[in-house]
Amino acid sequence: MTNSRTHLTGLFLAISSTLFASNAEAKAHETLIHEEEKEAAFNPAEVIMHHIADSHGWHLFDWNEQPVSIPLPVILYTEEGLVVFSSSEFHHDAEGHHVVEAGGQRFVNIHEKIYYASEEANEHGAYASMDHETHAVSNATPWDISITKNVAALLFSALVILLLFLPAARGYKKNPGVAPSGVAGFVEPLVVFVRDDIAKNNIGPHYKRFVPMLLTMFFFIWINNMLGLVPFFPGGANVTGNIAVTMVLAFITFVVTNVNGNKHYWGHIFWMPGLPVAVKPLLAIVEFIGIFTKPFSLMIRLFANITAGHIIVLSLVSLVFIFETVWVSPASVLLTLFISVLELLVAALQAYIFTLLTALYIGAAMHEEHH
Amino acid sequence: MTGSIAALGAGLAVIGVGIGIGLIGGRAMEAIARQPEATGKIQTNMIIAAALIEGAGLFGIVVALLGN
Amino acid sequence: MGIVTPGFGLIFWTTLTFFILLYLLAKFAWKPILKAVQDREEAINSALKSAEDAKAEMASLQSNNEQLLKQAREEREAMLKEARAMRDKTIADAKGAASEEAAKVLEAARTQIHNEKMAAMTEVKNQVAQLAIDMSERILRAELKDAEAQKAMVDRALQDVKMN
């Protein structure tokens, strides 16, 4: 009873904020340490965090208490060059117990992060040296450019996008001047929407050059968001809910915005016109920080929204296992359905907001003075 | 229990953001009711304003996460 | 901390994927799609414009027609008016001429009648005079057959002169 109550509390924490992540990690560490004690208990936090986070190997389901996953290539850039091996060589181990020898070097997987393995196992059986208090691993790491689950999902979504748009574009070439049909009929209003409502309205007269970028951004985010909502194999990865992905996208916005900034833009940042000289340097500092906070908020917004969505859906799915009764399932299914539909909206909305704000920032950077 | 103080901070940040976005949404509805022909423009600006406020809240959450 | 720490591998792959995607889509998808959309928009705009032009032309033609019609009507009206005036004038002229002629004829007739009358009168006067002379000759001859009668006559006449 107390057990389920603590789980319930944890669940509400999960629903209320993404902050849950840190809790979950602490719990994941606990499970690492006290694995034997908790073996049988279902830990929703662990499951959710496992889903939210990236991993080597794509876990599909468990069969006879054995995890079944698609092995993915682990690609490491080490001091001795590139090392490639299959993720199946870790044998589903993410606690550092199993050492893989490849390219004359030894590697361990600790929480889906690859380290150079230590010579000896520590007291938890992990081939790594860990801090006793924080459990931080102090081993060195190679540059890890593995095809992880998220990378595989990313490549898959890129394929989906190409398969969606290239045939649509070919249709235009084949029958020019005809009303769009099939995929093109679905794609065209969206393309026109991005061009007119996002690019033209917010960037201004020189919008044309940014349309391809904005279109790619919009559909990249949207398709990835949508695939993340698919609960089984080719979907379900948390690509746009990974901060590395959103960071790259936000960085592109940052670069494009500042490269295209005209002298009014920089003038407004470093020497705001129409203000007393004493205030100007102060404002310059604030505005300068603003250059970075804008893309930073883009990065965090997308990441937090998508991750929170995944956490909520998974929490609701986990209800049955938390209460350990099948009678919860109607509520669980209905709530999951409701949130999933909401997430469909969020998927499109976040793609829209990201692209819209990017266009807005570019537009502000290129705005001509009209005094 | 190190997380609890940070959680408090995140919660506080979310309260502010919730009030802010709520106000935006409410005012946008009023504006749309008053001028239905300007719905498109109001919606766009509403989303932009909400996104900016949300950004501020997300900073709070991230700081809470980092400070955890 | 874990989920807010970006992983190097994913940054690498995302960047790579995004730019390859951007390149491929920009070249093979956005360009043809945007071009087709723009072409269609231009075609629609030009079609609309030409329709508008045709409408304007129609309107101008119609107004032209109306103008022409109005002009024609005015011309006809003017012509009719002229014709009517001409007719009236002709009639008036004819009437004038006719009455003049009639007057002339009348005058001539009258003059002739007068002349004839005068001639007749003269004739009659002459005849009467002749007749009178003849009569008087006869009477005188009869009267003055004897000297006495002639003397009585002269006496009478002398008496008349005395009385005057």
Side-chain angles (χ1 to χ4, degrees), chain C residues 7-23:
Chain C
F8 171 75
L10 202 50
I11 292 177
F12 172 78
W13 285 108
T14 307
T15 314
L16 195 70
T17 313
F18 186 83
F19 280 102
I20 290 173
L21 209 56
L22 177 59
Y23 173 77

Side-chain angles (χ1 to χ4, degrees), chain C residues 5-61:
Chain C
T5 318
F8 171 75
L10 202 50
I11 292 177
F12 172 78
W13 285 108
T14 307
T15 314
L16 195 70
T17 313
F18 186 83
F19 280 102
I20 290 173
L21 209 56
L22 177 59
Y23 173 77
L24 289 178
L25 288 175
K27 191 156 185 196
F28 299 114
W30 308 139
K31 215 169 139 193
I33 291 177
L34 288 172
K35 194 178 169 298
V37 170
Q38 198 169 356
D39 284 355
R40 179 143 23 89
E41 274 167 9
E42 271 164 21
I44 289 170
N45 279 345
S46 75
L48 279 176
K49 201 178 167 296
S50 64
E52 201 69 27
D53 286 356
K55 213 165 128 192
E57 205 167 321
M58 273 290 265
S60 89
L61 267 179

Side-chain angles (χ1 to χ4, degrees), chain A residues 16-234:
Chain A
S16 53
S17 80
T18 53
L19 182 80
F20 189 57
S22 45
N23 266 345
E25 237 193 347
K27 277 185 186 161
H29 271 288
E30 272 172 45
T31 51
L32 170 72
I33 310 304
H34 311 290
E35 211 179 17
E36 296 88 273
E37 296 165 35
K38 287 191 170 180
E39 211 167 25
F42 172 77
N43 186 347
E46 195 190 1
V47 170
I48 290 168
M49 284 327 295
H50 178 255
H51 165 86
I52 296 302
D54 203 358
S55 63
H56 298 82
W58 197 323
H59 180 241
L60 299 181
F61 48 81
D62 281 10
W63 188 258
N64 291 335
E65 314 237 325
Q66 276 298 308
V68 177
S69 55
I70 294 173
L72 294 167
V74 175
I75 306 168
L76 303 171
Y77 187 74
T78 66
E79 289 140 11
E80 292 166 35
L82 274 179
V83 175
V84 179
F85 55 92
S86 166
S87 69
S88 62
E89 295 195 27
F90 284 120
H91 295 284
H92 307 295
D93 167 53
E95 311 292 353
H97 296 169
H98 194 95
V99 176
V100 173
E101 288 189 36
Q105 292 165 96
R106 301 164 74 246
F107 305 101
V108 283
N109 179 349
I110 299 173
H111 296 156
E112 299 300 345
K113 193 162 179 189
I114 308 241
Y115 296 90
Y116 290 115
S118 307
E119 289 298 322
E120 300 279 321
N122 63 7
E123 65 267 33
H124 306 301
Y127 287 85
S129 45
M130 290 184 199
D131 189 278
H132 285 281
E133 291 291 315
T134 62
H135 304 294
V137 182
S138 56
N139 287 33
T141 55
W143 291 104
D144 183 359
I145 49 170
S146 308
I147 307 293
T148 57
K149 179 174 124 180
N150 277 344
V151 175
L154 183 77
L155 296 175
F156 176 72
S157 72
L159 195 70
V160 169
I161 293 171
L162 288 177
L163 287 179
L164 197 62
F165 290 103
L166 294 187
R170 210 174 306 127
Y172 284 99
K173 267 192 185 154
K174 223 186 281 167
N175 327 303
V178 182
S181 60
V183 193
F186 163 73
V187 161
E188 192 185 301
L190 294 168
V191 172
V192 172
F193 170 74
V194 172
R195 188 196 62 176
D196 292 349
D197 286 6
I198 295 180
K200 199 194 270 177
N201 282 354
N202 295 301
I203 296 180
H206 305 294
Y207 74 96
K208 281 223 166 95
R209 139 168 97 91
F210 302 103
V211 172
M213 186 198 86
L214 292 171
L215 279 167
T216 311
M217 225 172 216
F218 179 80
F219 287 107
F220 180 83
I221 296 171
W222 191 39
I223 301 283
N224 271 308
N225 286 350
M226 297 285 268
L227 284 174
L229 293 175
V230 176
F232 42 81
F233 165 56

Side-chain angles (χ1 to χ4, degrees), chain C residues 107-126:
Chain C
E107 191 64 27
R110 210 170 279 143
T111 325
Q112 206 166 348
I113 288 168
H114 184 72
N115 289 348
E116 297 274 311
K117 201 171 89 183
M118 291 309 272
M121 288 288 271
T122 319
E123 185 82 27
V124 168
K125 268 182 196 161
N126 286 347

